[in-house]
Amino acid sequence: GQSLEQPSEVTAVEGAIVQINCTYQTSGFYGLSWYQQHDGGAPTFLSYNGLDGLEETGRFSSFLSRSDSYGYLLLQELQMKDSASYFCAVSPYGNNRLAFGKGNQVVVIP
Amino acid sequence: NAGVTQTPKFQVLKTGQSMTLQCAQDMNHNSMYWYRQDPGMGLRLIYYSASEGTTDKGEVPNGYNVSRLNKREFSLRLESAAPSQTSVYFCASTDGRTDYNEQFFGPGTRLTVL
């Protein structure tokens, strides 16, 4: 089965950098995804790591290390609109389901 | 494109009542999912449908049934609602053709069972 751990909440000021970690236990998976969810809204896809290493998409970067069962999402140049919850998710082999972590809430303050 | 739509947006039920949550997508996606989201619990999969005509249980299926009516529509039914089913319910879909399986979510249904 899958188990994903994420710390719960972080507060940071505008312009700062925040790293959200995700550790997982799963027997085999295609890759690690990240989703963003604003309060009261629906989750939306942010990024995907199929291979080990760093993927960069604008101000956001995501990293995966399969050997360490670990990944992270890096939010740079934080803006107020980045206040949201961030979820990591794995795509296990053998089906097209996603297993989500419990999420990490980021609060950006002026 | 409307993407993924859900009805209703809000619902209050009494214990023991039944209801059906509706979900439709206009992206010609093969796979559809129902999740529930509770505070501090993330998204938990209730049921999913890998393709039209198939449905499978997810992590928390007890107390729910689903119907994949056609490729567009996937409904979730609560036969006898319980207070433990108070939650936000999200429907999602994906074409299932990529490894990363990007899922597109509807706006959610906020259900309260008294």
Side-chain angles (χ1 to χ4, degrees):
Chain A
Q2 301 85 38
S3 170
L4 298 97
E5 297 293 326
Q6 292 183 257
S8 56
E9 183 174 321
V10 62
T11 301
V13 297
E14 275 186 295
I17 298 174
V18 162
Q19 179 171 316
I20 304 166
N21 299 318
C22 176
T23 58
Y24 57 85
Q25 295 177 353
T26 185
S27 51
F29 67 104
Y30 289 110
L32 187 70
S33 300
W34 290 91
Y35 283 75
Q36 180 191 57
Q37 184 181 28
H38 289 102
D39 248 6
T44 55
F45 175 81
L46 272 183
S47 67
Y48 173 77
N49 292 73
L51 302 173
D52 282 8
L54 192 67
E55 293 283 342
E56 296 179 88
T57 310
R59 295 185 296 111
F60 296 173
S61 303
S62 57
F63 173 83
L64 174 63
S65 168
R66 289 175 186 264
S67 59
D68 296 322
S69 296
Y70 165 74
Y72 67 73
L73 179 69
L74 194 69
L75 314 179
Q76 302 178 79
E77 300 172 25
L78 275 177
Q79 301 177 8
M80 297 297 290
K81 66 180 180 180
D82 299 330
S83 291
S85 292
Y86 294 85
F87 297 88
C88 61
V90 294
S91 311
Y93 288 141
N95 61 63
N96 55 357
R97 298 165 53 166
L98 283 176
F100 285 86
K102 292 182 180 179
N104 185 306
Q105 186 173 9
V106 173
V107 177
V108 182
I109 58 177
Chain B
N1 281 356
V4 180
T5 57
Q6 291 183 236
T7 55
K9 286 189 168 52
F10 299 93
Q11 184 71 50
V12 178
L13 293 177
K14 295 180 180 177
T15 296
Q17 287 185 316
S18 63
M19 79 161 295
T20 300
L21 281 64
Q22 307 287 352
C23 173
Q25 50 90 12
D26 62 1
M27 297 173 282
N28 200 35
H29 283 170
N30 292 312
S31 303
M32 298 185 73
Y33 309 81
W34 276 105
Y35 295 92
R36 61 177 289 173
Q37 186 174 36
D38 303 296
M41 296 296 290
L43 290 155
R44 293 187 291 170
L45 183 65
I46 305 171
Y47 270 93
Y48 68 106
S49 171
S51 60
E52 186 179 355
T54 69
T55 60
D56 286 287
K57 294 179 180 179
E59 186 184 349
V60 287
N62 291 347
Y64 305 95
N65 285 300
V66 290
S67 295
R68 184 75 183 265
L69 303 168
N70 47 55
K71 193 171 186 179
R72 290 187 63 249
E73 298 171 288
F74 188 39
S75 63
L76 178 72
R77 183 159 178 84
L78 286 70
E79 290 290 352
S80 179
S84 61
Q85 294 177 305
T86 293
S87 188
V88 181
Y89 292 86
F90 287 101
C91 177
S93 71
T94 182
D95 63 10
R97 298 194 189 110
T98 59
D99 288 348
Y100 60 88
N101 193 23
E102 177 184 353
Q103 293 190 7
F104 295 82
F105 286 80
T109 294
R110 281 142 187 85
L111 176 67
T112 301
V113 183
L114 303 175

